[in-house]
C-alpha cells in the first residue's frame, strides 16, 4: 500500500466530504475503509479462488499477529483497541469459512 489512502482512490466523494470532519475522525474513517477495501480487493481480484483464499489467510494471519509492519493492520488495531471493538465483529475466520463454503453472509 502506498502512502495514499484507499478513500482517495475508491471513494472520492467520501474523501472530499472528509475534509469537513475533524482530522482525527477522518483518519480513523479512512483506516477503517482501508481495512475493508483491502479485504474486498482480495475478493474482487480476477484470480483463481485458491489464490484469493491464500491471500485472505495470509492477511488473517498478519491481522491475528498484529503485524504492525503493515499500516492497514496497524491502524485497524489502533481503532479496535481505542474503542474496545469486539473481535467477534471483525472475524476474518468466519469470512474465510464462508468463502470456502461458497456462501455469502449478509449483515
Amino acid at each position: 500500500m502506498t502512502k495514499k489512502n484507499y478513500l482517495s482512490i475508491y471513494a472520492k466523494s467520501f474523501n472530499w466530504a472528509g475534509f469537513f470532519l475533524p482530522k482525527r475522525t477522518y483518519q480513523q474513517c479512512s483506516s477503517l475503509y482501508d481495512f475493508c477495501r483491502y479485504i474486498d480487493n482480495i475478493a474482487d481480484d480476477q484470480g483463481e479462488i485458491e489464490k484469493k483464499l491464500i491471500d485472505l489467510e495470509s492477511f488473517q494471519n498478519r491481522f491475528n499477529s498484529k503485524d504492525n509492519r503493515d499500516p492497514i493492520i496497524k491502524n485497524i488495531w489502533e481503532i479496535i483497541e481505542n474503542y474496545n471493538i469486539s473481535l467477534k465483529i471483525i472475524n476474518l475466520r468466519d469470512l474465510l469459512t464462508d468463502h470456502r463454503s461458497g456462501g455469502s453472509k449478509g449483515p
Side-chain angles (χ1 to χ4, degrees), residues 18-105:
F19 290 107
F20 298 100
L21 297 172
K23 185 176 182 176
R24 180 75 180 139
T25 301
Y26 172 78
Q27 289 170 335
Q28 291 175 334
C29 289
S30 179
S31 293
L32 178 60
Y33 184 86
D34 290 351
F35 178 79
C36 296
R37 182 79 245 176
Y38 187 89
I39 295 168
D40 194 51
N41 282 350
I42 291 173
D44 290 347
D45 184 29
Q46 297 298 318
E48 297 292 321
I49 189 71
E50 291 80 17
K51 170 134 177 27
K52 294 178 186 186
L53 291 172
I54 290 167
D55 291 347
L56 187 58
E57 282 183 61
S58 173
F59 186 74
Q60 178 182 359
N61 290 336
R62 293 192 322 272
F63 172 80
N64 290 342
S65 67
K66 298 183 182 183
D67 184 351
N68 284 331
R69 295 170 296 173
D70 183 324
I72 292 172
I73 292 171
K74 178 181 181 285
N75 293 338
I76 198 67
W77 271 108
E78 286 177 5
I79 292 171
I80 291 167
E81 291 168 353
N82 286 340
Y83 293 98
N84 292 323
I85 297 172
S86 170
L87 291 180
K88 291 178 184 178
I89 295 171
I90 305 176
N91 191 335
L92 298 178
R93 186 168 309 205
D94 282 351
L95 179 64
L96 181 63
T97 302
D98 189 52
H99 277 295
R100 283 188 173 151
S101 68
S104 178
K105 291 184 179 178

